[in-house]
Amino acid sequence: MASSSQARCVFLGAPGAGKGTQAKRVAQGSGLTHLSTGDLLREEVKSGSELGVEAKGYMDAGKLVPDQLIIDMVKARIGGGDSAIGESGLLAASGWILDGFPRTLPQAEALDVNLSGDNALTHVISFAVPEEVLMGRLTGRRTCLNCGAIWHVEHKPTSKEGVCDQCGGELTQRSDDCNEAIGKRLEVYRSQTTPLLAYYGDRGVLKEVDANRSPDVVFQELLTHMQ
Ligand code: ADP
Ligand code: ZN
């Protein structure tokens, strides 16, 4: 995927659509920097930072964290120094994938202000999955506390229940992967995030991927879009 080294991508999709799994995989194979706002927020929650304390209530209820908090957090990663993504932020990286951001029109507009001209987005990929499939994917999802690997009790079980096959770490269920929060997250996706499909569609950078297929098949298709 040599030509994708300059790719500046947004992965859009409902909770459970698989964008995080695929973003990790594409980043690993291509050297693109992967930035997940959900992962960043969970790190903030874990560290007990001011942002983490404020964000946790929204996240557990399946609501979006307010735009300004998210925009400030992402902005710091785009231009500022951050050891997680190299010395000078995303703009200095050779290419990257945003996963879980933007999720609202104000977030998309804020991103455009920071990424104009030579830094404009090159790919926006929408992961399409029917809602009834999403529900099952989310309730069965388990994450490794140690390495972050994502498993599923039915579709991708570990050989020993509750233990990561990759590193032996303990598996956990995300606090927002309970039925109540999942319903809210899907509703929020419908009302706040789907307008972005038209926003990017009008610009001609949007590609839709049928993500109701096996992770390997989806990955292969992604590679063709990112050439
Ligand atoms: P998912 O896409 O499966 O819901 P994420 O890990 O991307 O999971 O996000 C988890 C939660 O973090 C969201 O439900 C929301 O509360 C918060 N969050 C993540 N990204 C954003 C964002 N761009 N804007 C607002 N809230 C966000
Ligand atoms: Zn692990």
Side-chain angles (χ1 to χ4, degrees):
M1 235 199 320
S3 57
S4 71
S5 61
Q6 295 299 323
R8 289 175 297 280
C9 318
V10 165
F11 282 8
L12 276 179
K19 53 193 189 312
T21 301
Q22 296 294 344
K24 274 188 194 134
R25 196 161 162 183
V26 172
Q28 249 168 23
S30 64
L32 297 175
T33 298
H34 172 209
L35 194 77
S36 154
T37 44
D39 287 348
L40 290 178
L41 288 168
R42 281 183 288 278
E43 278 166 29
E44 298 283 347
V45 170
K46 217 167 148 186
S47 75
S49 70
E50 205 179 318
L51 171 59
V53 170
E54 181 155 10
K56 186 170 180 5
Y58 294 104
M59 294 168 77
D60 286 349
K63 295 179 181 164
L64 293 184
V65 174
D67 283 334
Q68 204 51 54
L69 292 180
I70 294 289
I71 290 168
D72 289 346
M73 182 179 84
V74 173
K75 255 194 196 160
R77 300 303 208 270
I78 286 181
D82 184 281
S83 56
I85 55 157
E87 287 293 300
S88 323
L90 282 185
L91 289 184
S94 57
W96 36 263
I97 303 167
L98 290 177
D99 156 17
F101 180 93
R103 253 172 153 94
T104 64
L105 281 172
Q107 291 180 14
E109 284 158 5
L111 186 63
D112 281 342
V113 170
N114 283 277
L115 299 178
S116 51
D118 286 350
N119 295 313
L121 292 174
T122 55
H123 305 75
V124 179
I125 312 264
S126 161
F127 290 67
V129 179
E131 258 195 35
E132 60 277 14
V133 176
L134 294 170
M135 205 71 193
R137 286 189 182 183
L138 291 165
T139 48
R141 176 160 72 176
R142 301 291 183 270
T143 313
C144 174
L145 277 173
N146 181 46
C147 74
I150 301 167
W151 304 95
H152 190 283
V153 290
E154 283 163 29
H155 312 313
K156 198 186 174 196
T158 51
S159 44
K160 188 162 172 238
E161 198 187 319
V163 180
C164 179
D165 276 357
Q166 208 162 282
C167 77
E170 185 191 341
L171 302 190
T172 183
Q173 183 168 27
R174 268 171 49 174
S175 52
D176 59 350
D177 278 347
C178 61
N179 284 337
E180 215 171 289
I182 290 171
K184 181 70 188 168
R185 283 156 66 207
L186 293 175
E187 179 197 319
V188 166
Y189 176 76
R190 270 196 306 272
S191 61
Q192 311 239 57
T193 309
T194 54
L196 296 183
L197 298 176
Y199 182 86
Y200 289 120
D202 290 347
R203 217 190 273 188
V205 285
L206 183 71
K207 294 257 162 54
E208 186 178 293
V209 170
D210 172 4
N212 189 19
R213 297 176 296 172
S214 80
D216 286 346
V217 173
V218 174
F219 180 65
Q220 288 309 322
E221 187 177 330
L222 276 177
L223 296 187
T224 67
H225 286 310
M226 295 184 59
Q227 292 304 313

